[in-house]
Amino acid sequence: MTTVRVNGVALGIESFGEDDAPLVLLVGGTTMLSWPDALCEHLAAGGRRVVRYDLRDSGESTTTDPEAPAYTLRDLAADAAALAGALGRGPAHLAGIGVGGMVAQVAALDHPGAFSALTLVGTRAVAPGPPDDDLPDHDQAAMRRLVARPVPDWTDREAVAEFAAGGAEILGDDPVAARAIAARVWDRTSGTTPPIQMANQMGTVFSRLDCAPRWRERLPELEVPTLVVHGRRNRFFPVGNGEAIAREIPGARLLVLEEAATAIPPAAVREVTEAMFTVG
């Protein structure tokens, strides 16, 4: 673990593989732990330098005021491009998961020279809030169950981990894995105040960001090889969102993980890794 300073902020990063290997840059959704250790290790074993990083206001990255972020989605996209430039010897393969996939789309559109390939996992082509009429919204039954739960005591590591496990079960993910990841996130969070913990555990900062102007209509401009990965059982961003992205990016490949929801499960790590190698 270390930090790299770009665009006036420090971004927490973790590296796998040799420094002179082609770079794969993983945008977390919000913290780097959205990306499984096993996937990072498989990519590194295949001859890539893998760097996963925390978005602003999460993990080891600069944290200021998660309730009133003084930056936009495009600032996060610019961070990705600047980080790729600081770390690599050429364009990087950029991958984003969840809200990190939104950052990755905008980064590839706004900074095309910085990236050689794009992987988008469990995301959609519009900002938080109501989706376009042709895109499926969150599963409403699941969302009602999620928002009905009492928030945990954010100073209590075990309560936070249990809260994450319950949310994962509602969304169709592995609650045991979610509990372990939430505990790791809690351990590396800079404070226990609710805004900071919620920013790390739930990505609440992103819903407050200025995401204008729209970028969906620009997806046909993308010229880099693109892989779209989506879980068939994703209740947060149903699979129609990934299908739409794959249709609108020229030449994009769609990989639907039949038994996956929002997270990349261990059983799918090898398949996702191999698919990423096919695009760059």
Side-chain angles (χ1 to χ4, degrees):
M1 290 292 304
T2 187
T3 59
V4 174
R5 194 162 187 86
V6 298
N7 296 337
V9 296
L11 299 179
I13 72 167
E14 184 176 20
S15 298
F16 301 75
E18 301 297 327
D19 287 350
D20 58 353
L23 176 64
V24 178
L25 184 63
L26 305 178
V27 188
T30 57
T31 80
M32 64 175 68
L33 296 183
S34 304
W35 290 100
D37 296 351
L39 184 137
C40 298
E41 292 161 359
H42 274 73
L43 287 168
R48 302 294 190 271
R49 181 191 182 193
V50 181
V51 175
R52 60 183 179 181
Y53 76 97
D54 300 314
L55 296 179
R56 302 187 194 192
D57 280 320
S58 69
E60 301 292 331
S61 294
T62 294
T63 294
T64 51
D65 184 0
E67 291 188 298
Y71 52 89
T72 69
L73 172 65
R74 282 181 163 71
D75 292 321
L76 298 182
D79 289 349
L83 184 57
L87 295 172
R89 299 182 176 180
H93 181 153
L94 178 65
I97 187 168
V99 297
M102 299 177 189
V103 174
Q105 290 171 70
V106 175
L109 287 164
D110 286 0
H111 307 275
F115 307 109
S116 59
L118 186 62
T119 295
L120 304 170
V121 182
T123 190
R124 69 182 188 185
V126 294
D132 294 346
D133 289 343
D134 65 323
L135 299 178
D137 202 352
H138 310 305
D139 180 280
Q140 293 305 303
M143 295 304 295
R144 285 193 294 271
R145 292 177 63 195
L146 283 174
V147 301
R149 299 177 304 149
V151 297
D153 175 358
W154 295 109
T155 67
D156 185 336
R157 181 179 186 270
E158 294 307 312
V160 171
E162 186 61 28
F163 181 77
E169 188 168 19
I170 291 169
L171 291 174
D173 291 316
D174 179 0
V176 175
R179 180 183 288 107
I181 292 170
R184 291 174 65 189
V185 170
W186 194 96
D187 289 340
R188 59 194 301 275
T189 296
S190 60
T192 57
T193 63
I196 292 176
Q197 277 290 344
M198 291 174 69
N200 279 261
Q201 296 284 347
M202 301 175 66
T204 51
V205 172
F206 199 80
S207 64
R208 298 184 177 91
L209 294 185
D210 177 5
C211 297
R214 286 171 56 91
W215 71 89
R216 183 182 181 187
E217 290 75 14
R218 297 177 58 202
L219 291 181
E221 301 172 18
L222 286 172
E223 296 181 350
V224 296
T226 300
L227 171 69
V228 180
V229 180
H230 218 100
R232 177 74 69 188
R233 298 166 53 219
N234 192 325
R235 298 171 187 166
F236 195 77
F237 293 139
V239 68
N241 290 281
E243 292 169 342
I245 293 172
R247 284 194 305 270
E248 293 169 24
I249 297 177
R253 176 189 171 189
L254 175 64
L255 172 62
V256 176
L257 305 176
E258 296 296 336
E259 299 303 319
T262 62
I264 300 173
V269 162
R270 185 175 298 276
E271 184 178 12
V272 172
T273 302
E274 292 174 353
M276 289 179 70
F277 283 137
T278 68
V279 297

